Amino acid sequence: MSDSVAWSAPPSTMTIASAPRGTTPNPPHRVTLVQGFYIDSEPRPPLSFAAARAEADRLGRSLPTPDQWEMAARGADGRRFAWGMNAGMRGDLSPLGLAGIACGPGEWLDPGPDAQPLVAGGAASPVPANRLPCAASEFRSYRLILVL
């Protein structure tokens, strides 16, 4: 993992809100993490989806699922953005201390087996609920997690 990691301690429960138009459907639903996880505090340099997944496998880690990434990016207090509720008060640090949520090329998420790769965050989509389908050949940042 990178030198800096954030920790999401269980039990963590939150309702994640629906995503705006133009993104992969993300209807409101409650998420409960029964296991905590460590996640990189800063995004790693951009790679293709296959290369990011291979790096995760090599290190015995994984890419975050959309729900894990959203919980780490928004925290459990229901905020719309990593920095709070107000789009005009733009910042770039989540409640767990994740930096780079709202800048850069977006980050790879693990969509599950046989699903199209997803990207969240980044300058074009700073709302953590957004989950955008993306070509696996594009270069995007990524974070690795370690589930305990």
Side-chain angles (χ1 to χ4, degrees):
M1 302 209 66
S2 68
D3 292 338
S4 180
V5 295
W7 163 248
S8 176
S12 297
T13 301
M14 68 180 283
T15 299
I16 51 181
S18 61
R21 289 174 290 163
T23 66
T24 299
N26 181 15
H29 62 285
R30 291 191 62 74
V31 174
T32 300
L33 298 178
V34 295
Q35 295 178 287
F37 62 90
Y38 288 101
I39 184 168
D40 291 335
S41 291
E42 296 181 6
R44 292 175 180 249
L47 294 174
S48 68
F49 182 74
R53 190 175 259 177
E55 177 70 358
D57 290 344
R58 185 183 73 77
L59 295 172
R61 307 291 193 262
S62 61
L63 296 173
T65 66
D67 289 346
Q68 288 167 330
W69 191 90
E70 187 174 344
M71 186 172 270
R74 293 176 58 200
D77 63 359
R79 58 185 61 205
R80 179 168 168 79
F81 302 99
W83 58 88
M85 294 299 286
N86 188 340
M89 302 291 291
R90 192 170 184 149
D92 200 27
L93 194 63
S94 82
L96 291 180
L98 273 64
I101 298 292
C103 62
E107 299 180 23
W108 290 120
L109 304 177
D110 184 351
D114 303 320
Q116 181 177 5
L118 297 174
V119 172
S125 185
V127 179
N130 288 4
R131 299 162 183 199
L132 304 170
C134 189
S137 60
E138 292 186 28
F139 276 55
R140 301 293 183 147
S141 297
Y142 64 105
R143 296 176 201 257
L144 298 181
I145 66 164
L146 173 63
V147 177
L148 302 178

